[in-house]
Amino acid sequence: MQGKFIVHEWGTFLAVAGSDGVNLEGMYHEEHPLPAFVHTQKEDTVFSSTATIKGETPVIYFYTDRPRRVSVGVDFPTGIWTHWFPSAQRVGRFPGPHPTRNGHIGWIANIAPPSPQDRLPAISPDALWRFARQVPQAATVHMTAEAKLLNDTLSGFTPVPASGEAERFLFYRGLGKADLPVRFFPEINGGQLTTTVPVRCVIVVKVTKGKITWRAFESLSPRQKLEGITQRLKPGTADAVAQHLTRGLVESGLFPDEARALVNTWKSSYFGSDGLRVLFLLPPIWTEKFIPMHVFPQPNALVRVMVGRIEGLTAEREAAVAKALQDYAAAPEKHFVTLAAQGRYLEPILRRLTAQPTLRPLCEKLLGTEFVRTGKGDAVALRNQLAL
């Protein structure tokens, strides 16, 4: 008799749209540091320049009435998985001519109801990782050294010997060369949204120096256009937007504590960092096609809820970076602040600005600097690297 066995998953897929709606490359940068114990795939650095989509924090929870062994695999046909925890028995890609496609990750793990004796890796008190653990009924996932995948057809995989690692969930992250089904045009018709699949709980948020304006739409159907959305945003608070998103996640099948875990993990990014962004809930059928999951034994219920997130670049933001580049030599300290303020979106913005012939040489030179690749450096060092 199988008994209780439930699998729930949540995550975010992130893309950046230029002011004209073009999906931009350079999406490999991290917004928040992951704990040091998280495993990393070497292809992360090889694939970085062409990535247009980032799969962030897919987290898989298990609920069981007894200890059991489970096998979980997740494919990524248009990308590769770059980070994971606990140890996976196989990480890599299926055979094919494209080294940055056909990704796969697979675990065989022992799961058991949570116990006070569980020993999870230590994290800092302020680590965002802590929120994903705040799901008290989720089973503990234990990796064992003797576990091996039954299917050994992968090529280019990275074998990772399990070493007794444990966590409240399975975590993985990846990079892909693909488009989300929703298109966002920040500067067309006052801000325009279209989609090829039905999406729910559409939220447009603009944060400017800590002040929030936003608007929510119940759904968006294929071929439907939402126009003028950035011109009709109303003042609000981070808590109000977070509560709205949390309700949408629960209505999509997540347990309330899972929904809060997702929102709390991304609250500072969604509602605390300056920028214009669109959030929406992707339909399960899209998720299953985009990143197919295989679970054995088959669970009583499988729920997968993915948040699509598009960062929209306004013409004003692009112009501010362009001016900082043009005038950098005259006032490096001042303009370095503008460049640094773009965070992980500086590279996509620079890639957008390469479309301007007068800026292309400087943008291409800046894209090769340590500052853009890693965020390290200061105003003088950057000026020297640019030979200004």
Side-chain angles (χ1 to χ4, degrees), residues 28 44 55 60 147 215 234 294 300 314 318 322 329 340 349 356:
Y28 62 98
D44 190 15
I60 305 172
R215 185 170 183 181
K234 297 181 179 181
H294 318 280
N300 307 129
T314 61
E318 293 174 356
I349 294 173
Q356 301 183 27

Side-chain angles (χ1 to χ4, degrees), residues 36-97:
F37 53 75
V38 172
H39 304 288
T40 302
Q41 178 75 295
K42 290 182 179 179
E43 278 87 343
D44 190 15
T45 56
V46 175
F47 191 44
S48 59
S49 63
T50 61
T52 57
I53 193 169
K54 190 175 180 67
E56 299 190 299
T57 56
V59 171
I60 305 172
Y61 297 105
F62 304 93
Y63 301 87
T64 181
D65 56 356
R66 60 178 174 81
R68 64 177 74 229
R69 174 164 286 194
V70 299
S71 174
V72 180
V74 186
D75 301 334
F76 195 174
T78 62
I80 56 172
W81 300 118
T82 58
H83 300 77
W84 63 93
F85 191 83
S87 300
Q89 277 71 42
R90 292 290 188 272
V91 182
R93 64 182 190 89
F94 290 108

Side-chain angles (χ1 to χ4, degrees), residues 306-321:
M306 293 292 163
V307 176
R309 172 186 173 190
I310 302 176
E311 291 286 328
L313 301 181
T314 61
E316 179 183 15
R317 186 173 184 180
E318 293 174 356
V321 174

